[in-house]
mmCIF file of all heavy atoms in Angstrom:
data_model
loop_
_atom_site.group_PDB
_atom_site.id
_atom_site.type_symbol
_atom_site.label_atom_id
_atom_site.label_comp_id
_atom_site.label_asym_id
_atom_site.label_seq_id
_atom_site.Cartn_x
_atom_site.Cartn_y
_atom_site.Cartn_z
ATOM 1 N N ALA A 142 -14.618 38.043 42.100
ATOM 2 C CA ALA A 142 -15.516 38.677 41.131
ATOM 3 C C ALA A 142 -16.960 38.272 41.404
ATOM 4 O O ALA A 142 -17.319 37.092 41.296
ATOM 5 C CB ALA A 142 -15.120 38.258 39.722
ATOM 6 N N HIS A 143 -17.797 39.240 41.770
ATOM 7 C CA HIS A 143 -19.214 38.982 42.004
ATOM 8 C C HIS A 143 -19.984 40.229 41.594
ATOM 9 O O HIS A 143 -19.385 41.226 41.183
ATOM 10 C CB HIS A 143 -19.438 38.622 43.473
ATOM 11 C CG HIS A 143 -20.759 37.978 43.756
ATOM 12 N ND1 HIS A 143 -21.341 37.074 42.912
ATOM 13 C CD2 HIS A 143 -21.630 38.120 44.809
ATOM 14 C CE1 HIS A 143 -22.492 36.678 43.416
ATOM 15 N NE2 HIS A 143 -22.695 37.301 44.555
ATOM 16 N N THR A 144 -21.308 40.189 41.693
ATOM 17 C CA THR A 144 -22.113 41.337 41.258
ATOM 18 C C THR A 144 -22.038 42.515 42.223
ATOM 19 O O THR A 144 -22.403 43.633 41.865
ATOM 20 C CB THR A 144 -23.589 40.932 41.080
ATOM 21 O OG1 THR A 144 -24.024 40.311 42.297
ATOM 22 C CG2 THR A 144 -23.748 39.960 39.927
ATOM 23 N N VAL A 145 -21.619 42.261 43.443
ATOM 24 C CA VAL A 145 -21.324 43.318 44.419
ATOM 25 C C VAL A 145 -19.897 43.092 44.903
ATOM 26 O O VAL A 145 -19.350 41.995 44.728
ATOM 27 C CB VAL A 145 -22.310 43.291 45.616
ATOM 28 C CG1 VAL A 145 -23.720 43.616 45.170
ATOM 29 C CG2 VAL A 145 -22.255 41.951 46.336
ATOM 30 N N PRO A 146 -19.259 44.104 45.499
ATOM 31 C CA PRO A 146 -17.901 43.872 46.019
ATOM 32 C C PRO A 146 -17.885 42.680 46.970
ATOM 33 O O PRO A 146 -18.701 42.593 47.890
ATOM 34 C CB PRO A 146 -17.590 45.179 46.740
ATOM 35 C CG PRO A 146 -18.405 46.208 46.021
ATOM 36 C CD PRO A 146 -19.682 45.511 45.661
ATOM 37 N N ALA A 147 -16.960 41.757 46.735
ATOM 38 C CA ALA A 147 -16.949 40.494 47.482
ATOM 39 C C ALA A 147 -15.517 40.039 47.717
ATOM 40 O O ALA A 147 -14.605 40.387 46.966
ATOM 41 C CB ALA A 147 -17.729 39.420 46.720
ATOM 42 N N ILE A 148 -15.351 39.248 48.770
ATOM 43 C CA ILE A 148 -14.031 38.740 49.122
ATOM 44 C C ILE A 148 -14.094 37.231 49.336
ATOM 45 O O ILE A 148 -15.133 36.680 49.664
ATOM 46 C CB ILE A 148 -13.470 39.411 50.404
ATOM 47 C CG1 ILE A 148 -14.438 39.242 51.583
ATOM 48 C CG2 ILE A 148 -13.128 40.872 50.151
ATOM 49 C CD1 ILE A 148 -13.898 39.735 52.925
ATOM 50 N N GLY A 149 -12.945 36.588 49.133
ATOM 51 C CA GLY A 149 -12.725 35.235 49.605
ATOM 52 C C GLY A 149 -11.923 35.317 50.892
ATOM 53 O O GLY A 149 -11.360 36.356 51.236
ATOM 54 N N VAL A 150 -11.876 34.205 51.618
ATOM 55 C CA VAL A 150 -11.264 34.187 52.950
ATOM 56 C C VAL A 150 -10.279 33.023 53.063
ATOM 57 O O VAL A 150 -10.599 31.896 52.684
ATOM 58 C CB VAL A 150 -12.350 34.038 54.044
ATOM 59 C CG1 VAL A 150 -11.714 33.930 55.426
ATOM 60 C CG2 VAL A 150 -13.331 35.202 54.004
ATOM 61 N N PHE A 151 -9.087 33.315 53.575
ATOM 62 C CA PHE A 151 -8.111 32.288 53.917
ATOM 63 C C PHE A 151 -7.965 32.222 55.433
ATOM 64 O O PHE A 151 -7.912 33.264 56.098
ATOM 65 C CB PHE A 151 -6.727 32.619 53.345
ATOM 66 C CG PHE A 151 -6.602 32.439 51.861
ATOM 67 C CD1 PHE A 151 -7.024 33.440 50.993
ATOM 68 C CD2 PHE A 151 -6.049 31.286 51.321
ATOM 69 C CE1 PHE A 151 -6.901 33.289 49.622
ATOM 70 C CE2 PHE A 151 -5.924 31.120 49.961
ATOM 71 C CZ PHE A 151 -6.348 32.125 49.101
ATOM 72 N N LEU A 152 -7.879 31.015 55.964
ATOM 73 C CA LEU A 152 -7.531 30.782 57.361
ATOM 74 C C LEU A 152 -6.228 30.000 57.394
ATOM 75 O O LEU A 152 -6.118 28.955 56.749
ATOM 76 C CB LEU A 152 -8.622 29.962 58.070
ATOM 77 C CG LEU A 152 -8.235 29.331 59.422
ATOM 78 C CD1 LEU A 152 -8.053 30.395 60.503
ATOM 79 C CD2 LEU A 152 -9.267 28.290 59.851
ATOM 80 N N PHE A 153 -5.244 30.518 58.127
ATOM 81 C CA PHE A 153 -3.987 29.810 58.315
ATOM 82 C C PHE A 153 -3.766 29.582 59.804
ATOM 83 O O PHE A 153 -3.914 30.494 60.619
ATOM 84 C CB PHE A 153 -2.814 30.594 57.730
ATOM 85 C CG PHE A 153 -2.901 30.776 56.240
ATOM 86 C CD1 PHE A 153 -3.125 32.030 55.687
ATOM 87 C CD2 PHE A 153 -2.780 29.678 55.386
ATOM 88 C CE1 PHE A 153 -3.217 32.191 54.313
ATOM 89 C CE2 PHE A 153 -2.878 29.834 54.011
ATOM 90 C CZ PHE A 153 -3.096 31.096 53.471
ATOM 91 N N THR A 154 -3.440 28.345 60.147
ATOM 92 C CA THR A 154 -3.118 27.970 61.520
ATOM 93 C C THR A 154 -1.693 27.412 61.519
ATOM 94 O O THR A 154 -1.106 27.227 60.450
ATOM 95 C CB THR A 154 -4.089 26.882 62.031
ATOM 96 O OG1 THR A 154 -3.763 25.633 61.406
ATOM 97 C CG2 THR A 154 -5.542 27.244 61.723
ATOM 98 N N PRO A 155 -1.122 27.124 62.688
ATOM 99 C CA PRO A 155 0.217 26.526 62.696
ATOM 100 C C PRO A 155 0.277 25.167 61.996
ATOM 101 O O PRO A 155 1.367 24.700 61.653
ATOM 102 C CB PRO A 155 0.525 26.376 64.195
ATOM 103 C CG PRO A 155 -0.319 27.410 64.867
ATOM 104 C CD PRO A 155 -1.571 27.463 64.059
ATOM 105 N N THR A 156 -0.883 24.541 61.777
ATOM 106 C CA THR A 156 -0.879 23.188 61.226
ATOM 107 C C THR A 156 -1.508 23.073 59.839
ATOM 108 O O THR A 156 -1.503 21.984 59.259
ATOM 109 C CB THR A 156 -1.627 22.226 62.173
ATOM 110 O OG1 THR A 156 -2.917 22.779 62.479
ATOM 111 C CG2 THR A 156 -0.852 22.040 63.470
ATOM 112 N N GLY A 157 -2.055 24.145 59.287
ATOM 113 C CA GLY A 157 -2.675 24.002 57.976
ATOM 114 C C GLY A 157 -3.366 25.255 57.490
ATOM 115 O O GLY A 157 -3.220 26.343 58.064
ATOM 116 N N GLY A 158 -4.139 25.102 56.416
ATOM 117 C CA GLY A 158 -4.818 26.242 55.826
ATOM 118 C C GLY A 158 -6.134 25.845 55.178
ATOM 119 O O GLY A 158 -6.357 24.688 54.793
#
Side-chain angles (χ1 to χ4, degrees):
H143 196 38
T144 53
V145 295
I148 56 174
V150 176
F151 287 83
L152 165 69
F153 297 111
T154 73
T156 52

